[in-house]
Amino acid sequence: MADTENAPQAERVEPVWDQNRNTRDEASRPGTSGGLFGISGGDWTMFAAIAAVALAVGIVNALSGAQDAAWRGDSYDIGRRLFWEMSSIAVVLLTVPLLVLAVRRMHRSPGLVVRVGIGALALLGFSTLHITGMVWVRKLVLWLAGSTYDFHFSLATISYEFRKDAVAALLIGGTIWLFESRRELKRTALAAKAADPRQPPVPDLIWLRDGASRIRLAPRDILWVASAGNYIEYSLTDGSQHLIRGTLAMAESELSRFAIVRVHRTKLANLDRVSGVDLKPSGDFELTFDNGQTLQGSRRYRLAVASLGGRTPPV
């Protein structure tokens, strides 16, 4: 819900657009409110890619290790070797959100020293959680099976595991960085497109439908759009509000051509109605519309307001 005052009760309506449009689901964008527990479709795609590669590597390692053992005259024992690999991979996948948070923080942080510090802390946390979790998973499963597991705790063993964790964290973090960079480029392109005066004219009316009733309005009469649970809320310049069922990503894909762009994880703003931008030391900002209402923006989307005021907001 957006930060505005004295807003009247919203009407529940559904959107109908005057122009033909692609129906591709845009819910994969980061920050979309439609994802499970706030996780967007793009995050799940990235996680699935990492999981698929990790599982493939684990299976190959287990088969190779078993074959090497057989060549040395030891037991093939593919089941035990698969268990070692899968228990390790399961814990690694559970710690991926830590690396996602670290990479996103690094994206938003200025300076190489700060980014290296965040990366070092993330690596230590990742390795600690992985080693601890892996050992206890193996101990628990083998205890339930009537056996035991000995990690052979020593500096050499910890160093051996840490080296492997460093490589894994670097590869996973690099993958996450590429995904995040691609998203940032998309957001920048959308903001640039919205601010480009050379763009061809677009239809100047849209419809919001409430059952059999329809409300026609001009996009320039929209101040902001915000997510509200399973609905999105339109706030207009005359003070009225309309609540529709849908996702913020769907509204963003339709309204970006009208210079209505994302300025917060849960908010879109009409840049054509912004009369002032208050940049905060934290990198966040506050937009003031030409009717006096205000809306809070997040530093993650500061590029969206880069064209306002003739200068780029500080990182």
Side-chain angles (χ1 to χ4, degrees):
M1 195 71 66
D3 302 323
T4 55
E5 298 180 354
N6 302 320
Q9 186 172 0
E11 303 173 50
R12 183 174 302 176
V13 296
E14 296 177 351
V16 178
W17 307 94
D18 276 350
Q19 62 277 3
N20 293 329
R21 63 184 179 89
N22 293 327
T23 57
R24 193 187 80 166
D25 185 10
E26 296 289 339
S28 61
R29 297 186 182 183
T32 298
S33 59
L36 180 64
F37 303 120
I39 300 176
S40 70
D43 290 332
W44 286 117
T45 300
M46 176 178 63
F47 183 84
I50 293 172
V53 173
L55 288 172
V57 171
I59 292 172
V60 170
N61 285 344
L63 292 173
S64 298
Q67 186 62 62
D68 290 342
W71 284 338
R72 294 193 304 266
D74 296 333
S75 172
Y76 189 75
D77 199 5
I78 184 61
R80 180 175 288 266
R81 292 182 182 277
L82 278 173
F83 172 63
W84 297 147
E85 294 290 339
M86 294 303 109
S87 60
S88 175
I89 289 171
V91 177
V92 166
L93 294 181
L94 289 175
T95 58
V96 165
L98 171 65
L99 297 179
V100 172
L101 292 176
V103 169
R104 288 178 177 171
R105 176 64 65 180
M106 291 169 69
H107 253 285
R108 297 193 296 266
S109 299
L112 179 62
V113 174
V114 175
R115 290 181 174 181
V116 170
I118 294 173
L121 290 176
L123 173 58
L124 289 175
F126 172 81
S127 184
T128 300
L129 291 174
H130 172 238
I131 294 173
T132 303
M134 173 187 68
V135 168
W136 282 104
V137 167
R138 292 174 179 179
K139 283 181 175 292
L140 176 61
V141 173
L142 291 179
W143 176 76
L144 292 174
S147 183
T148 59
Y149 173 73
D150 185 2
F151 179 61
H152 302 293
F153 182 85
S154 67
L155 180 59
T157 305
I158 293 296
S159 299
Y160 171 77
E161 294 293 339
F162 182 79
R163 288 197 302 270
K164 294 196 298 182
D165 287 344
V167 173
L170 180 62
L171 293 176
I172 295 173
T175 302
I176 298 169
W177 185 277
L178 291 176
F179 270 83
E180 291 298 312
S181 297
R182 182 171 177 268
R183 290 170 176 172
E184 190 71 23
L185 287 175
K186 283 187 175 181
R187 288 195 293 267
T188 303
L190 282 175
K193 182 178 179 181
D196 188 353
R198 296 171 298 177
Q199 291 295 320
V202 294
D204 57 357
L205 291 175
I206 62 175
W207 291 87
L208 300 180
R209 185 176 64 190
D210 182 9
S213 301
R214 296 186 178 185
I215 302 170
R216 186 174 67 174
L217 57 89
R220 71 165 278 102
D221 292 334
I222 299 173
L223 287 183
W224 48 260
V225 184
S227 63
N230 293 326
Y231 297 86
I232 48 178
E233 182 181 15
Y234 284 75
S235 179
L236 307 183
T237 54
D238 62 3
S240 63
Q241 293 179 315
H242 301 288
L243 199 63
I244 71 168
R245 178 177 289 275
T247 67
L248 196 64
M250 180 182 68
E252 181 183 14
S253 67
E254 298 294 349
L255 296 174
S256 61
R257 59 173 64 93
F258 302 112
I260 300 175
V261 300
R262 194 182 292 263
V263 296
H264 187 275
R265 184 177 62 85
T266 61
K267 306 168 189 173
L268 310 177
N270 189 344
L271 300 186
D272 288 341
R273 303 308 298 254
V274 173
S275 61
V277 183
D278 182 14
L279 304 175
K280 308 295 184 181
S282 63
D284 295 342
F285 53 91
E286 181 180 80
L287 301 177
T288 301
F289 296 104
D290 51 16
N291 69 345
Q293 289 191 15
T294 60
L295 187 73
Q296 301 297 320
S298 168
R299 60 182 178 180
R300 182 178 178 185
Y301 299 96
R302 61 190 179 276
L303 289 177
V305 298
S307 61
L308 301 179
R311 63 189 182 92
T312 302
V315 177

